[in-house]
Amino acid sequence: EKARIRVLAVFTWIVFWKVMASSVLENMSVDELGDWVREKGFGDEVRDAFTDQGMDGEAVCLALATTTGPDCLRDVIPKYGIRLKVYRSIKETMTQQNDESSFDFHPASTSESTR
């Protein structure tokens, strides 16, 4: 019974941290996301494209969830090459957030957990 409770507790923490990681991007305002795009080196033109379309972090996450690949940004960034690079930066940021929010959990060995 204690082992099942421990597994459930670990699972709950993992889910919590994964949700927190994705929410960093998702919680960006239109201006914050626009500034992030500019800071990534895409310039004011791409920043303006995001802000003119009202793209905040939640909208970007919805776009990623509804359309596969860089085409999720087609209406915001018509130039394919730039769209590919912005898409890659967004995906890399989400991956980094997930990596940074993960933690090392080393449960007690089986022999310890049965004591």
Side-chain angles (χ1 to χ4, degrees):
E1 183 64 29
K2 287 181 181 180
R4 280 195 298 173
I5 292 171
R6 182 176 294 166
V7 169
L8 182 59
V10 170
F11 177 75
T12 303
W13 273 107
I14 291 170
V15 170
F16 171 77
W17 284 110
K18 293 296 181 185
V19 169
M20 290 303 293
S22 64
S23 70
V24 172
L25 178 67
E26 188 175 16
N27 288 327
M28 286 185 182
S29 69
V30 172
D31 289 333
E32 289 170 334
L33 185 65
D35 291 343
W36 176 85
V37 167
R38 185 176 51 212
E39 289 168 9
K40 287 291 186 181
F42 296 108
D44 289 332
E45 183 180 342
V46 177
R47 180 200 190 285
D48 293 345
F50 273 83
T51 57
D52 290 349
Q53 292 292 325
M55 294 295 286
D56 60 7
E58 181 181 8
V60 168
C61 289
L62 288 170
L64 289 169
T66 58
T67 305
T68 305
D71 283 346
C72 67
L73 301 171
R74 174 178 276 161
D75 293 334
V76 180
I77 308 168
K79 294 181 181 176
Y80 188 62
I82 296 171
R83 185 167 65 238
L84 284 170
K85 294 173 187 176
V86 171
Y87 176 79
R88 180 185 62 203
S89 289
I90 291 169
K91 295 297 276 185
E92 286 173 353
T93 298
M94 292 177 80
T95 301
Q96 288 170 355
Q97 289 172 357
N98 283 336
D99 290 346
E100 290 170 5
S101 69
S102 64
F103 59 95
D104 290 331
F105 178 77
H106 303 284
S109 69
T110 356
S111 60
E112 291 176 11
S113 63
T114 56
R115 289 182 188 170

